[in-house]
Amino acid sequence: MAKELTAIRTAGLYKQERIIRTAQQADIRVNDQEEVLNFCANNYLALSNHPRLIEAAKKAMDTHGYGMSSVRFICGTQDLHKMLEAAVSDYFQTDDTLLYAACFDANGGLFEPLFSEEDAIISDALNHASIIDGIRLSKAKRYRYANADMADLERCLQAARAQRYRIIATDGVFSMDGNVAPMDRICELAETYDALVMVDESHSAGVVGATGHGVAEEFGLYGRIDLFTGTLGKSFGGALGGFTTGRKEIIDLLRQRSRPYLFSNSLPPAVVGAGIEAFRMLKESHALHDKLLENVAYFLDHMQTAGFDIRPTRSAICAVMLYDAPLSQEFARRMQQEGIYVTGFYYPVVPEGQARIRVQLSAGHEKVHLDRAVAAFVKTGKALEVI
C-alpha cells in the first residue's frame, strides 16, 4: 500500500483535503483563516447555509429528537419522513418516494431487487460511480453505450431484446462535463423497444428546466420517465440524504427488498426537517433558480471570451479543460493564492488525459464574485500558458 501511495504521488494524482473553517457558502475560510471565494461546491441554489433551513433543522430536533437509532421498517419512520417523501413526489410529479442515507445508496439499492439474470440494464458510459456499482450488484445482463450517443443506445436496445425486461439508466446531468442527457430521444427509444427509463437527477434537479424541476420539466417528459434518483446534498440543502421516486409499484417493491433502505438507519430529524423546508421554499419562488441561470450565462460568456477551452454545458457545471493532471493541480493551487477556491479533476475521477478545473456556479455568487474568478482564471491561465 505504501508503494502504491508513492506511485500515486509521483504521478501527480494524490488528493489533498483542504479544511473549511466556516459554513458552506460563496465566501469561505480555509486552512489558516484564508479568505477565498468558493467555486467548487454543489451548492447550486445557495441553500447550504440558508437561515430558513437552519431554523427548520433546529425545530425538527426540538420536536423529534436528534437521531432515530433504527431502520425505517422496525421503529425508524417518523411523520417527518413521510412528509419529505410526499414533498419529493410532488416536486417530481411522481407516485411515491423512498428516502435513503445518500443517493449512492439509492442507486446501490435500485437494480438488484428489480432485475435478475433474465433482464438487461443499459447504462451510459459516463454514469456516476454509484449507478455503476448498483448495476454490478445485479445479476442482469449489462450493456453500455457511449455518452449520450443515441445510435449506440439503439444498438444496445436491439441486442437487449433477448432479455425479459430492459431499463435504460442515465445521469440527468453528467457531473464532470455538465452536459444534459438527451432524455426526449432516450424516452422515444425506450418506448420503441419496451424499456423502462431511470435518471439520476443529482446534478440536474434544481438546475435544469424552466423552473429547475429537472429533466422531465426540461423535455416535457412527465409520466414517461419511470424512476428518478437524487440527493438532498446538492440543490436541496447540501446536507445528506438521497431518494428514489417514481411509479408506485416500483417504490413499493423497493420498500420490501432494497438493502440500503432495509439495513441503514433512518435519516435524522434535522436533515429531514430542513429538506421539507427546502422544497417548501422552492415551491414559493423560482428566484434562486433564475439567479443561478443568470450567473452561469455571465460566467461562461466571459470565460469563453477570454479563450478558455470550455466543455459545452447546459447546467451549473463549467469544465475548464487543461488535459494534464499535474497542470490541473498547479492551476488550482495558484487560483487559491488568488483567493478563488477550485479543484483540479484528473484520473481516475475523469479519463486519463482529460484533466480539468470543474467550476460550479451558485445562486449565492454575486457579479463581483464572478468577475474576481474570471480575472484570476485569466491571470493564472496566462502565467501557465493555458491561454
Side-chain angles (χ1 to χ4, degrees), residues 189-202:
L189 285 171
E191 288 157 6
T192 298
Y193 291 93
D194 193 25
L196 297 167
V197 176
M198 167 266 175
V199 57
D200 182 331
E201 290 264 44
S202 292

Side-chain angles (χ1 to χ4, degrees), residues 169-317:
T170 181
D171 280 351
V173 163
F174 296 94
S175 60
M176 289 300 120
D177 289 349
N179 59 311
V180 179
M183 294 307 304
D184 51 348
R185 298 167 64 195
I186 289 173
C187 286
E188 289 171 5
L189 285 171
E191 288 157 6
T192 298
Y193 291 93
D194 193 25
L196 297 167
V197 176
M198 167 266 175
V199 57
D200 182 331
E201 290 264 44
S202 292
H203 287 276
S204 49
V207 178
V208 174
T211 62
H213 281 59
V215 294
E217 181 183 52
E218 172 75 6
F219 294 98
L221 297 173
Y222 288 113
R224 295 175 65 187
I225 297 173
D226 302 284
L227 280 169
F228 302 89
T229 60
T231 179
L232 302 176
K234 295 180 173 60
S235 290
F236 304 135
L240 75 163
F243 56 83
T244 299
T245 188
R247 300 193 186 279
K248 183 180 186 304
E249 295 83 359
I250 299 175
I251 301 303
D252 279 350
L253 189 56
L254 290 174
R255 284 191 195 278
Q256 303 305 311
R257 295 183 179 174
S258 182
R259 291 169 70 85
Y261 172 81
L262 293 172
F263 298 104
S264 295
N265 257 26
S266 311
L267 281 176
V271 171
V272 180
I276 294 168
E277 186 67 14
F279 283 102
R280 184 178 292 121
M281 288 179 61
L282 298 181
K283 198 164 188 175
E284 292 170 1
S285 169
H286 307 136
L288 291 173
H289 173 255
D290 294 344
K291 185 180 178 185
L292 171 64
L293 295 190
E294 290 174 7
N295 285 347
V296 171
Y298 184 89
F299 183 80
L300 286 175
D301 178 62
H302 284 69
M303 288 290 286
Q304 288 168 338
T305 299
F308 284 98
D309 182 358
I310 308 292
R311 284 285 169 88
T313 180
R314 290 169 58 194
S315 66
I317 295 168

Side-chain angles (χ1 to χ4, degrees), residues 33 128 133 171 258 308 311 319 355 359 377:
Q33 306 301 308
H128 190 266
D133 285 359
D171 280 351
S258 182
F308 284 98
R311 284 285 169 88
V359 179
F377 266 105

Side-chain angles (χ1 to χ4, degrees), residues 35-101:
E35 302 280 347
V36 294
L37 295 177
N38 188 0
F39 280 89
C40 57
N42 302 314
N43 187 21
Y44 298 129
L45 296 180
L47 293 177
S48 297
N49 191 35
H50 198 285
R52 281 184 59 174
L53 269 63
I54 293 172
E55 183 62 25
K58 291 177 179 178
K59 287 182 178 178
M61 283 197 291
D62 287 342
T63 59
H64 288 71
Y66 169 67
M68 294 309 303
S69 304
S70 180
V71 300
R72 285 282 297 270
F73 77 97
I74 298 177
C75 64
T77 300
Q78 291 180 319
D79 54 347
L80 291 179
H81 294 104
K82 304 307 291 185
M83 291 170 62
L84 179 54
E85 288 174 342
V88 173
S89 299
D90 179 67
Y91 189 87
F92 289 95
Q93 297 187 28
T94 52
D95 297 336
D96 199 4
T97 296
L98 190 63
L99 297 176
Y100 289 88

